[in-house]
Amino acid sequence: MAGKKQFDVDLVLDAAMVQFWRAGYADTSVDDLSRVTGLNRSSLYSSLGDKESLYLRCLDRYATRYGERYDQALSSAPEEPLRAIREFFEVTLRRIADPDLPDGCLVAQTAMAIPVLSPRIAARATEALSLQRARLRTALNAAKLADADDFAVHLAAVNQSLAVMSRAGASPEQLQTIVDISMSALSQALQARS
């Protein structure tokens, strides 16, 4: 159609997601979004909605992208629960180590800002965190772990803390130590189940 600018929505959403991830919702302006996406303000609003709507789309995109990776990692939990949980953490550690991505986690960053975010964004962040706990609970229940609920809460909290600690400058070795300690506790719990 003449006069209508064409663009790749996936590329635009990825650029916006990285900007929000890097700077956070409050510190990302529409001008920042325009700069990183290459779209002017009116194109952003008419194609992708206001800043809040765009953030929600980016948060959903992020949660889906990494959620699929977590699901894949946890798929072997009934047969090999320790390997599955270690692979779950590896998804996070690989993301943190990727030099092309910002430090931390968009969901963790959003959760930390909940007191100053809109109820819609806060609810979406809470939902993403709940889904991560549910994934872990399902995997640990499949492994017949008696305290699956408690361990799911713990492992989800550890996973989010990896993102926060990485953003605060923790080394890869320190992050690995955090994972190893949680894996040791899980190993003991799995051994005690029989």
Side-chain angles (χ1 to χ4, degrees):
M1 184 189 292
K4 187 168 184 159
K5 183 175 179 176
Q6 299 296 313
F7 60 89
D8 185 327
V9 174
D10 289 332
L11 290 176
V12 166
L13 287 174
D14 281 344
M17 179 177 69
V18 168
Q19 175 61 37
F20 282 129
W21 188 353
R22 182 171 285 118
Y25 180 79
D27 290 332
T28 296
S29 68
V30 176
D31 288 337
D32 293 330
L33 294 168
S34 183
R35 179 182 43 78
V36 299
T37 63
L39 299 177
N40 64 37
R41 286 173 163 261
S42 68
S43 292
L44 275 171
Y45 282 113
S46 66
S47 301
L48 302 168
D50 63 6
K51 180 179 162 182
E52 181 175 311
S53 297
L54 179 56
Y55 191 83
L56 289 168
R57 286 181 73 170
C58 291
L59 193 57
D60 288 345
R61 184 176 187 79
Y62 180 93
T64 298
R65 178 174 294 159
Y66 291 102
E68 289 170 357
R69 294 175 190 177
Y70 288 132
D71 287 340
Q72 180 62 37
L74 293 171
S75 65
S76 66
E79 303 83 30
E80 300 178 275
L82 284 174
R83 187 177 130 235
I85 299 299
R86 187 162 296 277
E87 288 178 8
F88 170 87
F89 284 128
E90 284 300 316
V91 170
T92 300
L93 294 174
R94 278 191 301 273
R95 185 188 69 233
I96 288 169
D98 188 334
D100 295 329
L101 296 175
D103 289 336
C105 165
L106 184 60
V107 172
Q109 183 176 321
T110 305
M112 289 187 300
I114 280 177
V116 297
L117 295 174
S118 75
R120 286 177 59 203
I121 294 175
R124 198 70 57 86
T126 301
E127 180 183 315
L129 292 170
S130 295
L131 183 55
Q132 188 170 89
R133 283 190 304 276
R135 278 186 179 96
L136 286 161
R137 185 172 29 265
T138 299
L140 295 170
N141 278 330
K144 302 195 180 352
L145 182 65
D147 348 356
D149 289 344
D150 293 340
F151 261 99
V153 170
H154 171 79
L155 295 172
V158 168
N159 197 51
Q160 294 306 312
S161 76
L162 293 172
V164 173
M165 295 294 292
S166 76
R167 200 163 175 114
S171 70
E173 295 78 20
Q174 289 170 320
L175 299 177
Q176 189 61 58
T177 298
I178 293 167
V179 169
D180 291 345
I181 290 170
S182 289
M183 293 303 301
S184 176
L186 178 60
S187 176
Q188 290 173 23
L190 286 167
Q191 288 172 9
R193 73 185 164 174
S194 46

